[in-house]
Amino acid sequence: MNKYIYLLAVVFGLSSCNDFLELSPTNKVIETDYYKTQEDLTEALVAAYDPLKWNAYNAYSSYELVSNIMSDDAETGGSTVSDQPQLQRVNDFTNWVTPTNLPEGLWGRSYEGVNRANIVIEKCPLLPEGTMSAELRDRYVAEAHFLRVFYYFQLWRFFGYIPYYETNLGLDDITTVPQLQPDEVYAKLIEDLDNNVIGKLPKVVPANEKGRATNGAAIAMKARIVLYQNDDTKMKEIASQLKELITDPAYQYDLIPDYKVLFDDEYEWCKESVFEVNYTEIGNSNDWAGKANQGNSDIIMLGARGLKDPNNVYVEGWGFAPVTKALNDAFLPDDPRKWTTIIDHEEFRAEGGTISSDVNQYTGYSVRKYHPRAGYSSTVGTEALNYKNNYRVIRFSDILLMASEALLRSGGSVGEAQDYYARVVKRAMGDDYKVPTVSLDNIYKERRYEFAMEGIRYWDLVRTNQAKDFIKGWDDTKKYLPIPQSEIDKSDGHLVQNPHF
């Protein structure tokens, strides 16, 4: 049988900073007739980026939403305890997920991304000579390697013991794919970044290519992976690489002076942004399956239920991931990041607004950073699926705090570590604020304030061995989700279930 591939329309060269990855399915061709031109490979590369946006793939399985719910900063919420049971279970470590009741989309969307990245890596070198410049071809391949690392990074963090392949599989190949140990996956990710990505991507991209991977994003991804692995042998190395992003003006990174505007639409891809997932409201999707969505469907999930805003800034949502009192109370009272992160329901009501308390796991707090806003979604198609809020995956403040941590852990300059740490603290608290002495504990606290409800807190707790201290019911047996039973069954017993399941 001929294998068909669905083509994706690609928008390049417009003035908006969200042009890259604004796609819609158009038609299909036989694979043997495809991957012959530069345009074909451009479409294939864009298709490899697309799973970054599939928050509703195979039920709600957003990387960020699940990560927030697993942390001590958010509950699951929703209308009732039976609303999205896979999300309810991932939040309850005393009655935790099972191989048949978990956010399976975390697995499927990531492997779709791996598959699509592998296609670009395989097909680019096979283009007829003269079809594409060597420089552009090499950039496409490096981007695809970055994406493959990104998808495997998600699989590694969530599942640990994963099948790892660099050449796409035929229907009969599943039993030949090695299921690696977590340490083996880590080594593969670092090897891929070092050999195939870092130094092979541009430091900056023009406005009409925002969304594409850069060398800064690759270095930052490596730092995240090393820190999560707690690989002290590489701390000095990543401290040096992160310093390049901080000191080399060619990267054009800096902190935005006012933290409160960071999550406004006009500050997407600002100088603080290292990597974002692009979303657009112009897709006008009606697809609840999640694979054709170009809007951010997480946004409606995060909104407070029954919200009526007299100022017409925020609109109501479905009440998922309510912020915990513990997070609200962790902030210093005068830290402006608290207001940017959290909507306090009592304060909102006191200002004339309305919010329902008749919801599951009601806490009295909702996330503000990614709360649905008036005018941020198209009214054509299904409005709930078409929010344009980008996810800020890596920000420059993370570069500064990761570099500070790596310096301390490698015996590097304490003065530099203090400077990087102080830049983040003073941006929030003001130049006259007396910055505490830098330490690992203070860095970890600062990371909670700076990145609250951005999908980072849970992984910081796990890697710093604090999860059991902050999350009820968590222990080392909960580090990895079970492999979906459907995948075990499809492998005809080749895949081995994760320990403790």
Side-chain angles (χ1 to χ4, degrees), residues 67-74 93 157 227-228 230 324 326-327 405 441 443-445 447-448 455-472 474-476 479:
S67 299
N68 286 330
I69 288 172
M70 292 174 75
S71 80
D72 59 331
D73 285 351
F93 288 93
R157 290 198 301 181
L227 286 169
Y228 191 70
N230 282 313
T324 60
L327 174 58
E405 180 178 347
D441 283 345
I443 289 171
Y444 300 152
K445 290 176 184 177
R447 291 181 64 82
R448 187 182 195 186
I456 292 176
R457 167 69 172 175
Y458 175 75
W459 307 108
D460 277 351
L461 288 177
V462 173
R463 72 179 180 85
T464 60
N465 297 312
Q466 297 182 88
K468 61 182 177 296
D469 299 325
F470 286 90
I471 303 174
K472 180 182 178 181
W474 197 96
D475 58 42
D476 290 341
K479 184 174 181 179

Side-chain angles (χ1 to χ4, degrees), residues 42-70:
T42 299
E43 290 177 334
L45 177 61
V46 171
Y49 277 91
D50 207 36
L52 295 175
K53 297 182 286 188
W54 293 356
N55 292 334
Y57 178 80
N58 193 8
Y60 294 102
S61 51
S62 157
Y63 299 136
E64 293 81 6
L65 179 63
V66 173
S67 299
N68 286 330
I69 288 172
M70 292 174 75

